């Protein structure tokens, strides 16, 4: 039987999708993307695909490295607090930090923004943060996708995904295969919680009935929302400086799984990593989290970065030079541990001496 006409003259807007709003957003973010131009990319928006000229970027025989990631439930805090720009930086950081630990230079970035009803002002704030993250990382924002999907998201909700591509000359990738007993681990200070563990953070805020707009219990100069929304630090330029100086054997981006699960990903079998928690300082948010949730030390170290956002493994006789390069590039660097011999062929793991742990202070 033929279908019945239910609405003559129906439009996409009637179904909840505003094409005009999408076009307005594209126009609003074109100058943001243009500001991220770099050799190899014009960073123009509006085409069906983006081009990148590796030769113009200075590469001769490159290996491409690609990553994708999101921001997780930190987005819920952004939505609840109305602070959206920082999560754009988070999105870039989570991708490009994963590139640089392999010795790859980030070249281009694309984003995916999905929502139930497009709010142009909110979306522009998010993309402005993405553009700022790309500027810090030295990569071009070459495009993205904005999806307006009525019924898929609650009012005011949105989701983000990021995609980054980088490159390294053949033979220069950082693989960790030369890591050996006696090597030193350097920790680069984190700006805060970064972008992992926020399901637990939000639970503690909710259960403790903390006001996001009140002064933070651990930082009265900022509201709790401002402190918890501190963007993820981007380590690209400092890490690349150390890599290109030949001082790096391996690097680990400390994301979900914390210190306990991320460091072994770049350590060969038969080795053990021993860390001393008293060796570094940490932002006071971690002490507050531990006390508020009565969180055990090991749970802290496998949920949060605990003040260390990136770990660099270097030969003992190269550690001072590596520290100097990283410090001169603007990082706060701590000597946090060493690599030791374990059982032959056994899976690598991390031992932490929690005495004097920074999150206990």
């Amino acid at each position: 039987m033929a279908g019945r006409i239910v609405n003559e003259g129906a439009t996409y807007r009637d179904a909840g999708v505003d094409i005009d709003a999408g076009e307005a957003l594209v126009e609003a973010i074109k100058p943001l993307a243009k500001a991220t131009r770099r050799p190899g990319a014009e960073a123009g928006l509006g085409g069906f695909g983006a081009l990148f000229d590796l030769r113009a970027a200075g590469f001769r025989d490159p290996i491409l490295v690609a990553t994708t990631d999101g921001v997780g439930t930190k987005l819920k805090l952004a939505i609840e607090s109305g602070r959206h720009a920082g999560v754009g930086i988070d999105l870039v950081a989570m991708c490009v930090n994963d590139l640089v630990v392999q010795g790859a230079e980030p070249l281009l970035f694309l984003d995916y923004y999905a929502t139930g009803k497009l709010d142009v002002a909110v979306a522009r704030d998010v993309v402005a943060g993405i553009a700022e993250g790309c500027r810090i990382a030295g990569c071009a924002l070459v495009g993205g996708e904005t999806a307006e999907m009525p019924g898929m998201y609650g009012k005011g909700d949105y989701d983000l995904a990021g995609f980054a591509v980088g490159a390294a000359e053949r033979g220069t990738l950082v693989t960790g295969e030369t890591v050996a007993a006696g090597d030193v681990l350097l920790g680069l200070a984190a700006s805060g919680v970064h972008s992992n563990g926020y399901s637990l953070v939000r639970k503690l805020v909710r259960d403790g009935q903390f006001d996001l707009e009140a002064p933070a219990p651990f930082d009265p100069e900022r509201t709790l929302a401002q402190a918890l929304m501190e963007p993820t630090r981007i380590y690209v330029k400092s890490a690349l400086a150390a890599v290109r100086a030949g001082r790096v054997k391996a690097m680990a981006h400390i994301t979900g799984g914390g210190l306990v699960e991320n460091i072994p990903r770049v350590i060969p079998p038969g080795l053990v990593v021993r860390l001393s928690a008293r060796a570094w300082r940490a932002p006071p948010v971690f002490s507050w989290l531990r006390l508020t949730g009565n969180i055990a030390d090991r749970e802290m170290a496998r949920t949060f970065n605990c003040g260390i956002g990136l770990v660099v493994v270097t030969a003992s006789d190269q550690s001072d030079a590596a520290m100097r390069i990283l410090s001169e590039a603007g990082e706060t660097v701590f000597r946090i541990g060493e690599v030791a011999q374990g059982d032959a062929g056994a899976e690598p793991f991390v031992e932490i001496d929690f005495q004097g742990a920074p999150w206990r202070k």
Side-chain angles (χ1 to χ4, degrees):
M1 184 174 70
R4 181 166 58 91
I5 297 175
V6 296
N7 188 357
E8 292 187 19
T11 67
Y12 214 1
R13 187 190 295 266
D14 294 333
V17 179
D18 190 341
I19 296 174
D20 292 335
E23 292 177 349
L25 175 62
V26 171
E27 291 304 312
I29 65 179
K30 277 184 178 179
L32 301 175
K34 187 176 181 180
T36 69
R37 285 185 299 184
R38 54 151 296 153
E42 287 304 311
L45 298 182
F48 288 99
L51 305 180
F52 193 94
D53 186 340
L54 287 164
R55 184 174 296 175
F59 289 92
R60 299 181 301 278
D61 186 17
I63 299 293
L64 294 180
V65 183
T67 62
T68 182
D69 212 332
V71 181
T73 59
K74 190 174 185 178
L75 287 178
K76 294 295 289 183
L77 281 181
I79 293 164
E80 291 167 13
S81 66
R83 292 175 170 84
H84 305 283
V87 293
I89 297 175
D90 287 311
L91 185 67
V92 176
M94 296 303 288
C95 293
V96 298
N97 285 343
D98 279 354
L99 287 180
V100 79
V101 296
Q102 297 173 86
E105 176 187 349
L107 302 176
L108 59 92
F109 190 87
L110 301 100
D111 69 276
Y112 175 78
Y113 179 99
T115 186
K117 182 174 176 56
L118 182 61
D119 183 321
V120 174
V122 169
R124 188 198 178 282
D125 282 350
V126 171
V127 178
I130 293 171
E132 175 63 9
C134 287
R135 185 195 66 77
I136 296 169
C139 64
L141 175 58
V142 297
E145 170 68 5
T146 302
E148 191 173 22
M149 299 186 288
M152 286 289 290
Y153 298 90
K155 183 179 180 180
D157 285 349
Y158 61 87
D159 198 9
L160 289 175
F163 311 87
V165 176
E169 293 291 356
R170 191 179 303 274
T172 67
L173 287 170
V174 176
T175 65
E177 62 186 4
T178 64
V179 172
D183 288 344
V184 170
L185 278 80
L186 306 178
L188 277 57
S191 56
V193 184
H194 284 184
S195 297
N196 296 102
Y198 274 85
S199 292
L200 178 54
V201 171
R202 290 173 53 245
K203 181 181 187 302
L204 297 179
V205 170
R206 183 174 62 250
D207 291 353
Q209 299 183 342
F210 291 98
D211 182 353
L212 288 172
E213 298 309 317
F218 50 89
D219 185 356
E221 298 301 313
R222 297 190 290 176
T223 67
L224 181 58
Q226 288 173 324
L228 293 178
M229 293 302 299
E230 181 70 33
T232 304
R233 185 165 180 81
I234 293 174
Y235 299 98
V236 168
K237 293 181 179 179
S238 55
L240 282 178
V243 168
R244 290 168 177 168
R247 311 298 187 186
V248 176
K249 287 191 171 188
M251 289 186 285
H253 182 200
I254 308 305
T255 55
L259 296 163
V260 173
E261 296 184 10
N262 283 290
I263 297 174
R265 296 169 64 181
V266 297
I267 304 297
L271 298 174
V272 177
V273 171
R274 294 187 176 133
L275 304 181
S276 172
R278 72 175 68 88
W280 71 89
R281 300 186 304 276
V285 62
F286 294 105
S287 298
W288 177 76
L289 289 170
R290 185 190 76 85
L291 289 171
T292 300
N294 191 28
I295 305 172
D297 286 331
R298 189 163 183 83
E299 185 67 15
M300 286 288 297
R302 68 190 297 268
T303 303
F304 302 113
N305 67 58
C306 295
I308 298 295
L310 197 84
V311 169
V312 176
V313 185
T314 182
S316 179
D317 61 358
Q318 299 288 322
S319 61
D320 288 343
M323 289 187 74
R324 183 177 65 254
I325 292 168
L326 292 164
S327 297
E328 290 175 351
E331 304 297 343
T332 300
V333 189
F334 306 97
R335 192 184 302 260
I336 64 173
E338 62 182 17
V339 180
Q341 191 64 51
D343 295 332
E347 289 297 311
F349 62 94
V350 174
E351 293 178 347
I352 304 178
D353 178 358
F354 291 111
Q355 184 176 354
W359 53 87
R360 289 179 177 173
K361 299 175 182 176

